[in-house]
Amino acid sequence: MVKIFNVDNGKRKRRGATPSLARQINIREVLDHLRHKSPLSRAELTRMSGVSAPTMQKLLTVLLDSGLIREVESEVEGRGRPSKSYTLSGRKIQVFGAVVGVTTCKIFTAPLSLELRKIAEYKFPTPDSYDELIGEFRQFMLKQASQNISFLGLGISIPGLVNTIEQNVIVSPNIHYLDGSSPATDMAEGLDLQTLTLQEQLALCLAEQNAGSTDDCNNFVVIDLSNGMGMGIMNNGGQLNGKCGYAGELGHIVVAPGGPLCGCGKHGCLESVASDFVLQRKVSEKVGYEVSFTELEKMLRNGSIDVSKELDEILDYLGRGISMTINILNPGLVLLNGRIFEMIPEAIDIAREKTAKYAMAPGFKECMIKRTKGNRDAGVLMGISNLLVDSISEIE
Ligand SMILES: [Zn+2]
């Protein structure tokens, strides 16, 4: 059953529009129908998908062999004779998703069938060493794997630069012990898992597409302020990586020479003057003690602090960053991810005004600026599930 997921980690052959691509689209469509309504008979699925009966028969065979769907008996109306219907396997086949954050890490399990429904989850403060990090993750994984469940993959999102071909971390400016490491490989050691290491901005792009917030826009960016600053770029429907996967480092463009020291070693990078952490730092300086995000949120909700000046400074820098992005990439949509936008509803309007001040008018006019709806968790699940589901279609 498991060998049908024939993935060569991170080194899949690039294919053009081949018959397998058509199969891939059909497989997704069948999973999608079953996600919305289950069980469905072969006749119903054939009608809904608009493919021929023999094609549907082949698709169902592949999906049954892979373990992603299962057969159930259902009554045929009028005749009372039981017939076969299909439903998602749910808990039987699962993947691991892991998210490394600057302050918190988490790992969870979910069904592989693109349902984005977490089954088990474990959160812990980001440890001080790589060994502790891997140890925490593995403890959870081994416990899960001892149950009667098939785990097929592990997707992990990492803050920093990831070499997507080699699947290792080039540099993580805020968690330097990750530099040069291959966390997914180390976590999966001894377990038969396909692994995928995702730069967190790509995870966010996938999550936004899945959450439906990108509509039909093929050219969009996600700017993430929640762990420093990073940007994921979708260009004509595909990720823009650059030569080695280093594209999108908006956060490390120096905008305030001589400004605060950044994790990358330079002074005055955009992320050192415009991120969630910058707001937290500024508020802490203002009140004279270290304020957590939970406290900050409370203070903002009960109106006991005024952050309009701090917010204006941060969003002015952010507006310059967004304007550079608009001028260079001409996206149709800029999605902003960060606690700032969750805690302060008017922040998104201020960001828009600031961007208008700096961006070229034609590019700004054609670009929507919105908040994100998805999160990294959904992104890593989409990433690893896509990899595995797509690999089914490569079996002839
Ligand atoms: Zn920097």
Side-chain angles (χ1 to χ4, degrees), residues 114-132:
L114 306 175
E115 287 169 89
L116 303 182
R117 179 166 54 85
K118 284 185 198 168
I119 293 174
E121 182 173 36
Y122 172 54
K123 283 187 202 178
F124 53 95
T126 306
D128 294 328
S129 78
Y130 184 71
D131 288 347
E132 281 176 87

Side-chain angles (χ1 to χ4, degrees), residues 23-276:
R23 164 111 51 105
Q24 203 178 87
I25 293 163
N26 289 336
I27 280 178
R28 279 169 188 280
E29 201 178 336
V30 171
L31 290 175
D32 221 38
H33 288 313
L34 291 174
R35 208 161 24 141
H36 292 113
K37 188 169 179 256
S38 249
L40 288 168
S41 69
R42 189 172 76 190
E44 287 170 314
L45 282 165
T46 308
R47 201 168 46 242
M48 290 164 94
S49 305
V51 298
S52 70
T55 301
M56 182 52 69
Q57 180 60 57
K58 268 186 227 157
L59 287 171
L60 290 173
T61 306
V62 170
L63 282 166
L64 283 168
D65 284 349
S66 71
L68 279 175
I69 63 168
R70 61 189 167 89
E71 274 178 355
V72 287
E73 298 275 314
S74 62
E75 295 280 311
V76 173
E77 230 174 298
R79 281 179 286 169
R81 188 165 56 87
S83 93
K84 285 196 177 65
S85 286
Y86 301 91
T87 182
L88 297 173
S89 323
R91 287 169 175 264
K92 265 181 70 189
I93 302 222
Q94 297 183 25
V95 289
F96 290 104
V99 173
V100 177
V102 175
T103 52
T104 314
C105 296
K106 61 178 128 175
I107 180 159
F108 41 85
T109 63
L112 170 60
S113 39
L114 306 175
E115 287 169 89
L116 303 182
R117 179 166 54 85
K118 284 185 198 168
I119 293 174
E121 182 173 36
Y122 172 54
K123 283 187 202 178
F124 53 95
T126 306
D128 294 328
S129 78
Y130 184 71
D131 288 347
E132 281 176 87
L133 177 80
I134 300 300
E136 292 272 14
F137 280 139
R138 272 186 71 84
Q139 207 182 342
F140 174 87
M141 291 169 75
L142 294 172
K143 192 173 147 211
Q144 295 297 319
S146 68
Q147 299 170 35
N148 190 23
I149 303 166
S150 255
F151 285 97
L152 293 186
L154 160 69
I156 180 168
S157 101
I158 299 285
L161 289 178
V162 171
N163 183 323
T164 47
I165 305 298
E166 300 300 329
Q167 290 278 292
N168 58 6
V169 182
I170 308 297
V171 61
S172 179
N174 295 302
I175 312 176
H176 277 299
Y177 63 68
L178 289 172
D179 299 358
S181 69
S182 308
T185 316
D186 293 338
M187 285 162 69
E189 201 192 323
L191 298 165
D192 190 14
L193 294 174
Q194 302 296 341
T195 59
L196 178 70
T197 312
L198 281 175
Q199 204 157 326
E200 59 185 0
Q201 288 77 30
L202 176 62
L204 285 170
C205 286
L206 294 173
E208 289 311 304
Q209 279 178 318
N210 187 58
S213 39
T214 59
D215 297 320
D216 289 331
C217 184
N218 273 332
N219 293 282
F220 71 92
V221 301
V222 176
I223 299 178
D224 177 29
L225 273 64
S226 64
N227 264 335
M229 186 191 289
M231 175 164 69
I233 307 167
M234 283 293 180
N235 181 49
N236 293 330
Q239 195 202 0
L240 193 144
N241 289 314
K243 185 187 171 200
C244 315
Y246 308 167
E249 283 302 318
L250 182 65
H252 297 282
I253 291 177
V254 175
V255 292
L261 177 65
C262 178
C264 74
K266 293 191 168 34
H267 282 266
C269 289
L270 188 53
E271 80 163 37
S272 72
V273 289
S275 79
D276 284 347

